[in-house]
Amino acid sequence: MKYLLPLAASAMLLAPAAYAVDIEVAYAYSSVFDPTFERIMEAFETAHPDIHVTFRATYEDYEDATNTILREAVADTLPDVSFQALNRQALLVERGIAKPLDPYIAEEEGFETAGYHKAMLDLSSFDGQIYGLPFSVSTPIGFYNMDILRAAGVETIPTTWDEVVETCRAINAKGEHDAIFWHWDISGNWLLQAAMWSQGVPMIEDGKLNMDNPEGVRALETAKAIFHECAMKPVSGGDASKQFAAGDLGMFFSSTAYVGFVDRSKLGDWDFVTAPYPGIDDAPKALPAGGNSAMLTSTSDDPEVLEAAWQFIKFTTSGEGAAAVALTTGYVPPNKVANDLLMDNFYAENPNKLTAVNQLPLLSEWFAYPGDNGLAVTQVIEDSLESILVGDADDMEELRDEMVDEVNALLPH
């Protein structure tokens, strides 16, 4: 079991000496969401002074979140509330770890008008029941240091990956900065799924890996071009985001979630711009929806604990909670009421956060690989991408065939 940690010392100092009920909460990506929960807790403690929230050590990423909660389920040490990736919810439902929220929703007068987008609720609905409330929704976007691009003679933001590669060459020719990081190992093979969806092709079809086609080869060839023709360094996404914020990286392709981090961490007076995610040949036909939802995972029999956990889930995903997400990250608020709480000119003053909002019409499914081997499938695909990155794989059609065979052998028959 992970150690229990308070989110912030200030929250401890402001907390009352005694509480009616205690709950435990866990979420992923400390660098992204710590400021969000600090803001939320200031309001939550005022609204619910009788509830004490202890935050467990942050999950490193969404795979860690799922692996951790599966272990905790066996050890009977589950948190009361867990924030899990949208594409991992089904596994927790199938294992009986997540509990349906419908009984609590039924007690909420006017819940259907509480601002929750039906399309967002549908992302967390299984067999006619709601198992999670959406907390954050993201799309992949491009981050650009326009000072570096202009110094390399590039005045126009690239819109296709071929144009991205040409921009890389121009930046590398200057020899003053690294050109690019494409977050290839981000959770759930998200950007490879984006490469498939960009071509209008789903990553999973009929329960199988749907890359045994020309689009699958093209997706891997695009990754190869980014890695090698752009001379991309094999660093972590976290290190790359810091390098970008420091003004030493020309282009960074990842989740809109990092907009808030870059805004907070940006060093120097350089021109930071976000833009729509590049496509293969032309604009993307679709993109996978990223993000996470709040799920009730408590094993408590105490109705007060369960009610407190529900109040926390409801508050964090409400208009106020969703507004905090928008203010502190680059995520899109999944609750319509948040837009009323944000200042009218919020996106006018924060145009880098508008990019993801404009891409919402492209949102498509972020696939979870079915069956008990879903996490293993994620790793197989990540290992295949890494083999391109380090130069162990050169023939993309051969690699595609090996990956499809290995993945489909792990999927349910």
Side-chain angles (χ1 to χ4, degrees):
M1 175 178 173
K2 294 192 174 184
Y3 295 109
L4 302 183
L5 298 174
L7 182 66
S10 59
M12 293 178 63
L13 293 173
L14 293 172
Y19 303 92
V21 62
D22 294 88
I23 62 170
E24 295 177 7
V25 176
Y27 63 92
Y29 295 113
S30 175
S31 64
V32 173
F33 287 116
D34 277 0
T36 307
F37 281 102
E38 287 171 6
R39 177 181 284 266
I40 286 174
M41 286 307 298
E42 290 177 5
F44 181 79
E45 288 176 344
T46 299
H48 298 279
D50 57 331
I51 300 175
H52 179 238
V53 179
T54 300
F55 288 87
R56 293 191 175 184
T58 313
Y59 305 128
E60 181 180 353
D61 53 29
Y62 289 141
E63 276 71 44
D64 181 42
T66 304
N67 275 318
T68 299
I69 205 161
L70 290 175
R71 291 194 302 268
E72 290 170 341
V74 174
D76 195 25
T77 57
L78 289 166
D80 298 297
V81 177
S82 179
F83 289 80
Q84 293 284 329
L86 296 176
N87 70 326
R88 299 297 182 189
Q89 297 174 102
L91 177 61
L92 304 191
V93 173
E94 292 166 2
R95 297 288 183 90
I97 295 171
K99 293 178 169 55
L101 301 177
D102 301 79
Y104 303 94
I105 292 173
E107 296 296 320
E108 295 288 335
E109 184 177 351
F111 182 84
E112 68 278 3
T113 60
Y116 297 94
H117 291 278
K118 182 182 182 301
M120 301 299 183
L121 291 178
D122 288 346
L123 295 172
S124 300
S125 297
F126 304 90
D127 296 325
Q129 292 186 294
I130 298 173
Y131 284 85
L133 292 185
F135 179 66
S136 60
V137 175
S138 63
T139 65
I141 63 171
F143 297 66
Y144 300 91
N145 182 323
M146 293 307 298
D147 287 15
I148 293 177
L149 267 65
R150 292 182 186 117
V154 178
E155 295 291 339
T156 304
I157 292 175
T159 60
T160 68
W161 289 107
D162 286 344
E163 293 175 3
V164 168
V165 171
E166 288 300 317
T167 301
C168 285
R169 291 178 178 141
I171 294 172
N172 288 334
K174 290 284 292 183
E176 297 175 358
H177 301 281
D178 290 335
I180 191 172
F181 183 81
W182 179 66
H183 206 160
W184 63 277
D185 60 345
I186 198 169
S187 181
N189 311 133
W190 196 47
L191 291 193
L192 187 61
Q193 292 201 24
M196 294 298 292
W197 268 131
S198 291
Q199 302 172 83
V201 178
M203 187 90 161
I204 295 291
E205 192 169 66
D206 298 327
K208 300 298 179 184
L209 183 63
N210 186 38
M211 292 187 67
D212 193 13
N213 45 49
E215 290 84 2
V217 174
R218 190 71 190 279
L220 295 176
E221 287 176 341
T222 299
K224 181 182 177 182
I226 295 169
F227 291 156
H228 298 303
E229 295 183 48
C230 283
M232 193 184 101
K233 291 183 177 177
V235 299
S236 71
D239 287 344
S241 67
K242 294 173 185 175
Q243 183 184 10
F244 183 81
D248 294 326
L249 182 65
M251 298 178 288
F252 177 61
F253 297 94
S254 187
S255 168
T256 184
Y258 283 99
V259 173
F261 170 78
V262 174
D263 283 339
R264 291 189 301 272
S265 308
K266 186 170 174 283
L267 300 178
D269 186 24
W270 51 274
D271 189 9
F272 166 40
V273 172
T274 68
Y277 198 67
I280 296 176
D281 293 331
D282 49 24
K285 294 180 174 65
L287 290 170
N292 63 68
S293 68
M295 307 188 81
L296 178 64
T297 54
S298 181
T299 58
S300 176
D301 294 325
D302 186 340
E304 290 189 356
V305 171
L306 295 174
E307 178 63 22
W310 163 247
Q311 291 299 326
F312 184 80
I313 290 172
K314 185 178 66 170
F315 191 92
T316 55
T317 62
S318 69
E320 191 165 2
V325 171
L327 289 167
T328 57
T329 72
Y331 280 106
V332 177
N335 189 301
K336 291 177 284 187
V337 175
N339 294 322
D340 297 330
L341 298 177
L342 294 170
M343 52 190 175
D344 291 339
N345 58 344
F346 175 74
Y347 286 113
E349 294 186 2
N350 296 272
N352 284 334
K353 294 184 177 182
L354 183 60
T355 300
V357 176
N358 290 338
Q359 290 188 152
L360 286 179
L362 298 176
L363 284 191
S364 299
E365 184 176 357
W366 179 17
F367 290 101
Y369 307 112
D372 293 337
N373 296 319
L375 289 170
V377 169
T378 299
Q379 191 59 54
V380 167
I381 296 173
E382 184 174 314
D383 290 345
S384 297
L385 287 172
E386 186 174 22
S387 71
I388 306 172
L389 175 64
V390 301
D392 290 342
D394 185 61
D395 186 324
M396 294 301 98
E397 187 169 352
E398 179 182 340
L399 177 66
R400 186 276 315 271
D401 291 343
E402 292 174 355
M403 186 173 68
V404 168
D405 287 346
E406 188 172 356
V407 166
N408 286 338
L410 289 170
L411 295 176
H413 296 286

